[in-house]
Amino acid sequence: MAFLLPHLHSGWAVDQAILEEEERLVVVRFGRDWSKECMIMDETLRRVANKVKNFAVIYLVDIDEVPDFNKMYELYDPVTVMFFFRNKHMMLDLGTGNNNKINWPMSDKQEIVDIIECVYKGARKGRGLVIAPKDYSTKYKY
């Protein structure tokens, strides 16, 4: 169902999407459209897109089609979700040690809505690093 969300097909289109959005959070899913993990994340993002449309816009980027950002953002994982607000990369502390991105598929709609809302609220307050509403460190997954 990834075709229901807008795809960006060039580095220029990604830059413009991030630059032109002044009031809403830009959520960009980088990954390979054929990847199972991407399909899970795309479906979750598609289901929440309508709920978050007032404060966030979601785009999909295939890293094979648009390799421009692979080194800059270290896009080596099957799926990567990054957040931008007013042309600034928003960092998110998930408890995993990687504050730049979410690099695993999420299937819980409410979880992703909470994360997007938390990042948006922190961005509106001028924060560059936002603490996630839930700790995703592996120490609690025994």
Side-chain angles (χ1 to χ4, degrees):
M1 289 296 197
F3 60 87
L4 295 173
L5 290 170
H7 272 72
L8 302 174
H9 298 286
S10 68
W12 183 83
V14 175
D15 284 339
Q16 290 306 304
I18 293 168
L19 280 168
E20 290 177 358
E21 190 59 59
E22 291 291 324
E23 294 303 315
R24 295 186 294 176
L25 184 70
V26 178
V27 180
V28 182
R29 190 277 293 149
F30 292 99
R32 292 177 175 90
D33 290 341
W34 51 263
S35 164
K36 178 183 167 193
E37 290 90 348
C38 269
M39 290 180 195
I40 294 168
M41 193 65 174
D42 290 352
E43 180 61 23
T44 307
L45 290 171
R46 183 197 62 81
R47 289 188 289 156
V48 303
N50 204 35
K51 286 184 179 180
V52 301
K53 68 180 178 188
N54 292 332
F55 57 90
V57 59
I58 300 169
Y59 294 106
L60 309 180
V61 178
D62 189 316
I63 59 173
D64 291 331
E65 183 182 358
V66 185
D68 306 16
F69 302 97
N70 293 359
K71 281 194 175 168
M72 183 190 324
Y73 294 134
E74 298 174 356
L75 303 175
Y76 308 119
D77 300 302
V79 62
T80 301
V81 177
M82 298 182 75
F83 305 95
F84 301 89
F85 187 73
R86 294 185 180 155
N87 195 26
K88 184 174 182 234
H89 175 226
M90 295 299 302
M91 298 201 323
L92 176 65
D93 185 0
L94 297 155
T96 61
N98 185 352
N99 294 343
N100 295 316
K101 56 197 171 194
I102 297 173
N103 56 2
W104 67 89
M106 299 179 82
S107 56
D108 186 352
K109 287 191 322 186
Q110 191 56 50
E111 237 176 279
I112 197 76
V113 168
D114 291 345
I115 288 173
I116 292 171
E117 190 175 357
C118 179
V119 173
Y120 174 73
K121 286 179 179 178
R124 294 284 297 177
K125 293 177 183 174
R127 297 192 177 125
L129 174 66
V130 180
I131 309 296
K134 180 180 172 187
D135 185 9
Y136 291 91
S137 63
T138 56
K139 66 180 179 179
Y140 298 113
K141 295 185 179 182
Y142 291 117

